[in-house]
Amino acid sequence: MPSKRKLETLKKRFPIIRKNNHTEEETESSSGYPFGHLTSLGLSQLYEKGVQTRKRYENEMIDLKPEDVYAQSTNFNRTQQSCQSFLEGFLPHSYYSLSIHIYQAKDDFLNAWDSGNGLQEKVAHLQQFDKEFERQEGEHQEIRNSLCAHLPYFREYPGKFLWVYSGDYYVCNESHDHSLHDDLTLHRDRVLNLVAWRYLRWYNNDEIGKLAIGDFADNIRKIFDHTSKQDITECPPEILNKRFSIFSAHDVTLLPFMVALGAFKNHEAEVLEFDKVWPEYGTIISIEHLADDKDERFVRVLRNEEEIFPLTHIENFKFIWE
């Protein structure tokens, strides 16, 4: 784990500011239970991502000042520390300080699952009436029993089983080269592929997909409208006149956006591979808003430097928020 001194240094340079009823106050990170802090490896990975991003946009960063950058995170330790470490690499000068904004759950467009917008209810309804979920549960019941028998969290809280928590366990341990019980290693691919299948099944549902990315996509629209001077009234004031907007969120925030872009056309369980679908730790989605010498606007989207939505006129990107 990172030292307390390291975390305090990050907190001092990049304090967490809670937005609440049009007021701001510095706050401590949330507990994020049952999730914890980023490890030293995680901090290092995000720092390197910040360095890579700075190099990619070095021409746009000439004379960049902290007031040219906006940063926002969800209210979890790991996403806030990810943002802090990314900014440490992105803004290399130690005298640069920048606040990271967080919002109440109902106002947090980066975390639709906890916003109370009806997403969880729609997912529960789909699972109840989509017989494919019942079939998948039946086929994986033996694996579920094994996970409940071997994973400490499920042994302690047997009534709180979630497939995504099982997936988190595999990914976290693998990223740190930790060995697993033989039974768990045997089930690795089936568990992770099921996790990916479930989320893609949800996000490919039109209603659920819109709820999952709607507020996030609408805020992208507001930023684009402001930077192209089409409308400055809707853009949140803290984002006005920024050259870079940096958002730190979750894999389940990135996934519906990638689905909306058409990144995964085929999401059937028998052909789906988690490792090709799921955003890995430290994934950076770059949404570039560009203009030519005639002030025509274009958009390009990259995932970890790889183009996943080619350069296109902004009119061809508006389907994301419409």
Side-chain angles (χ1 to χ4, degrees):
M1 296 299 291
S3 67
K4 290 183 178 180
R5 182 178 179 182
K6 175 62 177 179
L7 295 179
E8 287 297 323
T9 299
L10 289 174
K11 188 190 304 182
K12 185 175 181 179
R13 278 194 67 191
F14 309 111
I16 306 300
I17 302 295
R18 182 185 301 276
K19 301 282 291 185
N20 187 8
N21 297 326
H22 306 292
T23 63
E24 294 185 354
E25 61 180 9
E26 189 167 344
T27 183
E28 293 291 325
S29 299
S30 73
S31 64
Y33 183 82
F35 308 100
H37 295 261
L38 232 61
T39 63
S40 297
L41 176 61
L43 288 180
S44 175
Q45 288 174 337
L46 267 298
Y47 173 83
E48 290 301 324
K49 293 287 187 178
V51 171
Q52 292 171 14
T53 305
R54 169 165 50 86
K55 291 179 179 178
R56 176 174 179 82
Y57 300 110
E58 59 183 354
N59 291 334
E60 290 79 8
M61 295 187 67
I62 296 173
D63 299 325
L64 185 76
K65 302 177 180 61
E67 54 265 33
D68 296 325
V69 181
Y70 172 75
Q72 181 178 329
S73 173
T74 56
N75 193 22
F76 291 84
N77 283 315
R78 64 190 185 281
T79 52
Q80 293 165 21
Q81 291 168 358
S82 293
C83 194
Q84 289 169 327
S85 196
F86 176 89
L87 288 170
E88 186 181 31
F90 186 68
L91 300 173
H93 302 300
S94 60
Y95 53 82
Y96 275 6
S97 179
L98 181 71
S99 297
I100 299 171
H101 295 81
I102 63 172
Y103 287 80
Q104 301 178 80
K106 66 180 182 64
D107 299 319
D108 187 359
F109 61 80
L110 295 176
N111 185 13
W113 284 91
D114 293 336
S115 68
N117 69 352
L119 175 60
Q120 294 193 32
E121 290 78 7
K122 288 292 184 182
V123 166
H125 183 269
L126 178 65
Q127 289 186 191
Q128 181 180 358
F129 292 98
D130 186 340
K131 295 301 182 182
E132 187 62 22
F133 281 96
E134 182 178 345
R135 186 182 74 82
Q136 292 286 348
E137 283 290 335
E139 289 186 357
H140 291 81
Q141 183 60 52
E142 185 177 340
I143 294 176
R144 174 173 174 161
N145 293 339
S146 179
L147 293 169
C148 289
H150 293 105
L151 295 187
Y153 181 74
F154 296 141
R155 286 205 304 267
E156 187 172 355
Y157 304 102
K160 294 185 177 182
F161 179 87
L162 288 175
W163 285 106
V164 70
Y165 285 1
S166 303
D168 288 340
Y169 187 85
Y170 280 102
V171 174
C172 182
N173 278 276
E174 286 180 3
S175 68
H176 293 87
D177 295 324
H178 292 169
S179 59
L180 298 172
H181 189 280
D182 287 347
D183 284 350
L184 298 180
T185 301
L186 178 66
H187 300 316
R188 184 262 187 200
D189 287 348
R190 290 191 65 189
V191 170
L192 291 178
N193 289 351
L194 178 63
V195 170
W197 176 85
R198 288 168 64 85
Y199 275 84
L200 292 186
R201 191 80 167 187
W202 296 334
Y203 292 151
N204 276 284
N205 175 278
D206 288 343
E207 286 187 279
I208 292 174
K210 288 177 181 177
L211 288 172
I213 72 162
D215 290 343
F216 174 58
D218 193 51
N219 274 270
I220 295 173
R221 176 190 63 79
K222 292 174 183 178
I223 294 171
F224 283 5
D225 285 350
H226 165 63
T227 54
S228 59
K229 298 180 174 57
Q230 293 182 27
D231 186 358
I232 65 170
T233 59
E234 285 194 286
C235 191
E238 58 271 18
I239 305 181
L240 288 174
N241 302 314
K242 304 299 183 184
R243 291 161 67 181
F244 292 91
S245 295
I246 296 168
F247 302 106
S248 181
H250 309 267
D251 43 16
V252 295
T253 308
L254 301 183
L255 198 59
F257 180 69
M258 294 165 66
V259 169
L261 290 178
F264 316 115
K265 297 296 185 183
N266 193 335
H267 58 281
E268 294 304 316
E270 59 266 28
V271 298
L272 183 148
E273 293 183 41
F274 176 92
D275 298 317
K276 294 181 180 179
V277 171
W278 205 263
E280 62 270 30
Y281 282 167
T283 290
I284 302 296
I285 299 291
S286 302
I287 307 172
E288 300 179 343
H289 186 205
L290 311 167
D292 63 13
D293 54 6
K294 297 180 181 179
D295 205 31
E296 287 290 318
R297 299 284 163 165
F298 300 86
V299 179
R300 176 170 52 211
V301 183
L302 302 104
R303 173 184 177 180
N304 296 329
E305 304 288 317
E306 179 181 346
E307 192 175 81
I308 60 172
F309 192 84
L311 186 67
T312 186
H313 195 277
I314 193 170
E315 291 296 324
N316 299 321
F317 188 75
K318 289 183 176 180
F319 71 91
I320 288 293
W321 57 73
E322 290 180 341

